[in-house]
């Protein structure tokens, strides 16, 4: 199964490479393809009152890409701050199950939280959120285990606590789902 990882022009190739390297460890049976500078943020996604971008509008764009290119799954990586109605922000969003997922690096940067710049921590956070959203596309829902990658991140601390891997329960659910 092939997963295309699409970046906007403001997401570096280096970041995409590191994210894909991390994803490959969690999903050894899947093939990842880097598509830098491929995703464009649709103008209608911007909400001038919130100064944020509606993630669902970007998700639609990612889904369009997946359909157009006949790929099973596409993950968009964007640099803008994402929201959905009723939440202050989201780290990402995905169809569950489905073809499309999106993550934002905006709030994953340590600098955003007043922490010193730290590329390793930043990439680790990106990988966790990417695995989480891909997990949704495969049909996994949220998990109560705070160390499981499918745990919902309310804050960046939740992201830092959880690991990039599925807990045993989610892992066996995943195995069952992929057999269906
Ligand atoms: Zn989630
Ligand atoms: Zn779990």
């Amino acid at each position: 199964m092939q997963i295309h990882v699409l970046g906007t022009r403001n997401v570096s190739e280096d970041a995409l490479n590191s994210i894909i390297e991390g994803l490959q460890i969690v999903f050894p049976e899947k093939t990842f393809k880097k598509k830098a500078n491929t995703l464009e943020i649709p103008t209608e996604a911007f909400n001038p009152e919130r100064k944020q971008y509606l993630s669902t509008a970007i998700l639609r764009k990612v889904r369009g890409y997946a359909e157009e290119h006949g790929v099973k799954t596409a993950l968009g990586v964007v640099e803008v701050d994402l929201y959905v109605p009723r939440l202050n922000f989201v780290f990402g969003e995905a169809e569950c199950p489905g073809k499309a997922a999106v993550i934002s690096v905006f709030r994953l940067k340590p600098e955003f939280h007043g922490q010193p710049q730290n590329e390793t921590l930043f990439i680790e956070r990106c990988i966790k959120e990417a695995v989480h959203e891909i997990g949704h596309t495969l049909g996994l829902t949220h998990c109560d285990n705070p160390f499981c990658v499918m745990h919902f991140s309310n804050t960046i601390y939740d992201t830092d606590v959880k690991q990039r891997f599925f807990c045993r329960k989610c892992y066996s659910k995943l195995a069952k789902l992929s057999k269906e």
Side-chain angles (χ1 to χ4, degrees):
M1 183 181 134
Q2 236 190 29
I3 299 182
H4 284 200
V5 182
L6 323 175
T8 61
R9 68 189 150 98
N10 293 322
V11 173
S12 74
E13 291 224 18
D14 282 353
L16 289 182
N17 282 332
S18 307
I19 293 169
I20 288 175
E21 239 172 78
L23 287 170
Q24 196 69 74
I25 295 169
V26 182
F27 300 105
E29 75 288 1
K30 298 193 196 316
T31 319
F32 293 91
K33 242 186 161 171
K34 181 183 63 178
K35 297 281 172 184
N37 201 357
T38 302
L39 181 61
E40 237 179 90
I41 310 266
T43 41
E44 74 268 16
F46 185 64
N47 181 325
E49 265 161 52
R50 299 182 58 136
K51 295 190 173 56
Q52 287 176 305
Y53 293 77
L54 179 65
S55 73
T56 319
I58 299 171
L59 198 59
R60 232 181 335 225
K61 191 95 191 208
V62 175
R63 170 171 249 280
Y65 172 93
E67 282 171 347
E68 203 179 303
H69 293 81
V71 277
K72 182 104 198 293
T73 313
L75 167 74
V77 182
V78 305
E79 77 292 356
V80 296
D81 196 18
L82 299 179
Y83 81 97
V84 293
R86 290 190 300 277
L87 286 182
N88 288 335
F89 72 91
V90 287
F91 290 117
E93 190 185 350
E95 299 173 342
C96 183
K99 284 176 170 302
V102 62
I103 64 162
S104 162
V105 303
F106 190 83
R107 290 171 189 261
L108 301 179
K109 292 184 178 150
E111 310 90 276
F112 178 85
H113 305 277
Q115 300 166 317
Q117 221 177 344
N118 181 338
E119 190 65 13
T120 311
L121 176 62
F122 168 63
I123 292 296
E124 186 60 30
R125 288 170 171 175
C126 293
I127 293 166
K128 289 172 185 177
E129 292 309 322
V131 172
H132 180 98
E133 299 307 342
I134 291 173
H136 281 318
T137 65
L138 298 169
L140 285 181
T141 51
H142 286 149
C143 177
D144 292 338
N145 183 338
F147 302 109
C148 174
V149 74
M150 291 316 293
H151 192 70
F152 174 70
S153 286
N154 230 335
T155 70
I156 196 67
Y157 301 104
D158 299 318
T159 306
D160 287 341
V161 165
K162 70 186 179 188
Q163 306 297 302
R164 67 163 86 160
F165 297 98
F166 301 103
C167 73
R168 244 197 295 175
K169 225 171 77 192
C170 288
Y171 194 78
S172 62
K173 248 195 247 173
L174 201 58
K176 236 182 263 162
L177 282 166
S178 55
K179 261 187 243 147
E180 274 168 16

